[in-house]
Amino acid sequence: MTKVVISGTGLFKPSQTITNAELVESFNAYVELQNAKFADQIAAGEREPLAPSSVEFIERASGIKQRYVMDKSGVLDPHRMFPRLAPRADDELSLMAEIAVHASRQAMEQAGKQGKDIDGVICAASNMQRGYPAMAVEIQQALGAGGYGFDMNVACSSATFGIEQAVNAIRAGTARCVLVINPEITSGHQEWRDRDCHFIFGDACTAVIVERADTATSNDQWEVLGTKLATQFSNAIRNNFGYMNRCEDTDPNARDKTFRQEGRKVFKEVVPMAAAHIEAHLKDLSLQPVDVRRFWLHQANLSMNQLVIKKLVGGEVTPDIAPLILDEFANTSSAGSVIAFHVHHGDLNRGALGVICSFGAGYSIGSVVVRKL
Ligand code: COA
């Protein structure tokens, strides 16, 4: 079988951050405005008042301390509560493609690749900026890449699912070098007005170069030993935004047209699924969880990741075994596990075994087992 490696990764992080204190201050200002607006209905018992958020709750329940966003002013404006992004003309590079190009150039530089060396571009993310043409084709052109480009969406698992498509294309001989990019402008579909989830997401973009080992020149190569994907339908994380909304005569700003979840349910159901998935994948490769030097897990919740690792290897869960980037980035959907890998793999020695694993809406779980060459 063709030996395939990850030979470069890249990360774009927006220049603006929102701390929990800033987020809670604006959310609570929004709550006061809403409660004042509906004061009569609330007094008549016809409507529940909105409850305030708190920094303590956010940090205790999730481990998140701040997030990067493309536009802070719109999100923090209590009269708006979502980003303010300037529209671009058709002949300008779109915003999603722009951040993808930033992350991709970094990954290409690390892997020692130029546009002409890439013959497949996969844009794998939770949301695409438009219906068509595919974002990947625009990114392909901006990078001067050859071959083909296509978009795919498996929500938070988009990156690992994209990596498997890249590995399979290389093994099948239809591509030699594939760029997998995860531009996640989550602030666009986040519900900043909902106390249960207003703190969850942040924006970022990651890029990964996957190529044949015999073409790789990078001094930082990770052999892909295997990939494993699984899905099981669930409504616990859902967003009904879509191109049929107009035909259904539904309100495009209704609550169900942005991110919503049953957080507790997700937590309870996904932890055992993720642990069992990783264990089964390692077993397929005649490996065991204790053989793994580092797990780069999906970044949605600190305790969730600790529980997954405890189930797998027991003992104390240290950042050395399962590094956390969630405190700085919040949940960046599919980019999260790749950010963890990008930031926290440089200290590992030749032969080290690692698992990149994402989990999220679908439900979907994807794992990539790698070994440092
Ligand atoms: N500030 C203060 N209190 C809040 C709050 C906020 N922003 N949001 C909720 N609360 C309150 C709730 O009203 C509830 O109060 P009650 O006990 O009086 O009813 C209490 O805090 C607990 O709420 P709950 O939603 O059960 O919290 P939780 O401990 O489950 O944490 C999440 C919430 C979302 C952080 C957590 O469930 C989670 O991360 N789940 C996994 C999500 C996931 O992986 N999603 C994938 C997305 S891609």
Side-chain angles (χ1 to χ4, degrees):
M1 200 154 54
T2 309
K3 196 162 150 180
V4 178
V5 297
I6 290 175
S7 56
T9 55
L11 167 64
F12 166 83
K13 48 181 180 184
S15 59
Q16 303 178 37
T17 56
I18 299 178
T19 63
N20 285 344
E22 290 173 307
L23 187 76
V24 167
E25 189 187 339
S26 93
F27 180 84
N28 290 351
Y30 164 77
V31 165
E32 275 185 30
L33 285 170
Q34 289 295 304
N35 287 346
K37 186 174 168 188
F38 297 105
D40 291 347
Q41 288 175 28
I42 292 168
E46 292 160 14
R47 194 185 179 108
E48 285 292 316
L50 295 181
S53 183
S54 89
V55 171
E56 297 69 38
F57 172 83
I58 295 171
E59 290 188 8
R60 184 170 29 83
S62 70
I64 296 165
K65 295 195 170 135
Q66 64 155 43
R67 69 282 299 140
Y68 294 92
V69 287
M70 299 304 294
D71 172 63
K72 175 174 178 167
S73 69
V75 169
L76 293 185
D77 177 351
H79 297 281
R80 183 177 172 94
M81 305 292 281
F82 49 86
R84 200 175 275 116
L85 302 172
R88 295 184 180 187
D90 286 358
D91 59 359
E92 288 179 274
L93 192 66
S94 61
L95 186 63
M96 226 176 129
E98 183 181 298
I99 69 170
V101 165
H102 275 284
S104 300
R105 290 224 166 100
Q106 201 184 338
M108 287 160 68
E109 195 183 321
Q110 204 186 93
K113 297 287 161 200
Q114 295 183 339
K116 64 174 174 45
D117 302 318
I118 293 169
D119 42 26
V121 176
I122 301 176
C123 179
S126 301
N127 286 275
M128 298 302 157
Q129 185 168 346
R130 59 172 176 254
Y132 38 82
M135 299 308 305
V137 182
E138 187 183 1
I139 299 163
Q140 174 197 16
Q141 186 199 40
L143 293 171
Y148 61 88
F150 67 87
D151 295 350
M152 52 173 281
N153 172 3
V154 202
C156 288
S157 293
S158 299
T160 50
F161 277 57
I163 289 171
E164 175 166 301
Q165 304 325 303
V167 169
N168 286 350
I170 293 163
R171 291 210 169 125
T174 57
R176 287 155 305 158
C177 178
V178 180
L179 172 64
V180 183
I181 321 156
N182 321 106
E184 292 287 5
I185 305 180
T186 64
S187 55
H189 67 100
Q190 158 77 315
E191 188 44 85
W192 300 96
R193 290 171 288 206
D194 184 336
R195 175 181 183 252
D196 288 344
C197 67
H198 78 112
F199 52 89
I200 286 179
F201 286 112
D203 298 336
C205 178
T206 48
V208 178
I209 296 277
V210 183
E211 63 174 315
R212 293 172 64 106
D214 59 10
T215 62
T217 56
S218 165
N219 54 17
D220 182 19
Q221 295 178 31
W222 289 79
E223 182 184 355
V224 178
L225 301 182
T227 57
K228 188 179 178 82
L229 313 180
T231 50
Q232 183 185 303
F233 187 67
S234 165
N235 278 320
I237 310 169
R238 189 165 172 129
N239 182 346
N240 285 339
F241 174 78
Y243 80 104
M244 293 288 193
N245 293 160
R246 182 179 70 156
C247 321
E248 293 164 343
D249 294 306
T250 52
D251 175 4
N253 293 314
R255 178 63 191 91
D256 71 323
K257 307 298 189 306
T258 46
F259 170 86
R260 65 205 157 102
Q261 73 168 350
E262 293 174 64
R264 277 271 150 110
K265 191 168 194 262
V266 174
F267 195 113
K268 270 196 208 133
E269 293 179 349
V270 170
V271 167
M273 277 173 72
H277 180 95
I278 293 172
E279 194 164 13
H281 190 188
L282 290 167
K283 199 170 169 208
D284 291 347
L285 298 165
S286 306
L287 295 164
Q288 290 180 6
V290 288
D291 300 328
V292 177
R293 176 66 185 80
R294 190 160 288 165
F295 294 90
W296 299 281
L297 299 184
H298 177 53
Q299 303 282 318
N301 185 293
L302 167 62
S303 349
M304 197 168 177
N305 287 8
Q306 288 179 334
L307 258 174
V308 170
I309 299 300
K310 262 206 181 110
K311 274 184 188 291
L312 285 169
V313 289
E316 199 201 340
V317 182
T318 64
D320 186 47
I321 298 171
L324 202 78
I325 55 94
L326 170 80
D327 49 347
E328 178 186 349
F329 286 85
N331 181 345
T332 52
S333 195
S334 71
S337 55
V338 182
I339 299 176
F341 176 76
H342 174 80
V343 179
H344 295 285
H345 76 256
D347 59 316
L348 298 186
N349 295 326
R350 188 162 292 184
L353 190 71
V355 178
I356 302 170
C357 181
S358 60
F359 28 89
Y363 294 133
S364 57
I365 303 188
S367 53
V368 182
V369 178
V370 290
R371 191 190 297 281
K372 168 99 176 149
L373 291 179

